[in-house]
Amino acid sequence: QVQVVESGGGLVHPGGSLSLSCVASGTIFNIYAMGWYRQAPGKQREVVATITSGGRTNYADSVKGRFTISRDHAKKTVYLQMNSLKPEDTAVYYCNVDGRDYRDYARKAYWGQGTQVTVSS
């Protein structure tokens, strides 16, 4: 049982802001990295931002300067602060966790269910 749960999505006007949160729980440990991905209808899922256990961050060019990823490693939580939102940011945002399961020590990529972000006038 590994649970990855996102929250914070919603509807916002262009130029607005949203904050997303993702909490990993259950039989997960040794988290190596966490990240945010998004998928718009008819498009391929793409990386938005990632952060390693050491704190190294990486951003897609399309969100650089507008989005900020952060994490609380002890709480197994990652955040995405999204500012200056644009209509093209509209997508389902998914949280990904790179970690191990207590039960079998397998290292896997665990995905959340996604949270909808809609940027529209």
Side-chain angles (χ1 to χ4, degrees), residues 37-57:
Y37 297 71
R38 66 186 182 187
Q39 187 168 23
K43 295 186 177 295
Q44 191 172 352
R45 187 175 297 187
E46 63 178 356
V47 63
V48 176
T50 60
I51 185 166
T52 70
S53 60
R56 183 186 299 115
T57 59

Side-chain angles (χ1 to χ4, degrees), residues 9-118:
L11 174 65
V12 66
H13 294 310
S17 298
L18 282 174
S19 296
L20 306 182
S21 298
C22 169
V23 180
S25 62
T27 55
I28 191 168
F29 76 118
N30 284 359
I31 294 176
Y32 301 98
M34 304 180 84
W36 291 96
Y37 297 71
R38 66 186 182 187
Q39 187 168 23
K43 295 186 177 295
Q44 191 172 352
R45 187 175 297 187
E46 63 178 356
V47 63
V48 176
T50 60
I51 185 166
T52 70
S53 60
R56 183 186 299 115
T57 59
N58 198 44
Y59 297 91
D61 288 341
S62 59
V63 308
K64 196 170 298 182
R66 300 187 296 120
F67 292 9
T68 302
I69 189 170
S70 61
R71 57 97 172 85
D72 186 325
H73 196 66
K75 294 180 178 179
K76 299 182 178 67
T77 302
V78 65
Y79 309 92
L80 186 68
Q81 176 65 45
M82 303 185 293
N83 299 324
S84 302
L85 283 161
K86 304 174 180 180
E88 51 262 46
D89 295 317
T90 296
V92 177
Y93 283 70
Y94 296 91
C95 179
N96 174 264
V97 181
D98 174 12
R100 294 187 184 274
D101 193 324
Y102 289 130
R103 297 170 297 179
D104 60 5
Y105 206 66
R107 182 173 176 177
K108 300 176 181 178
Y110 301 95
W111 292 93
Q113 81 288 347
T115 185
Q116 177 71 47
V117 172
T118 303

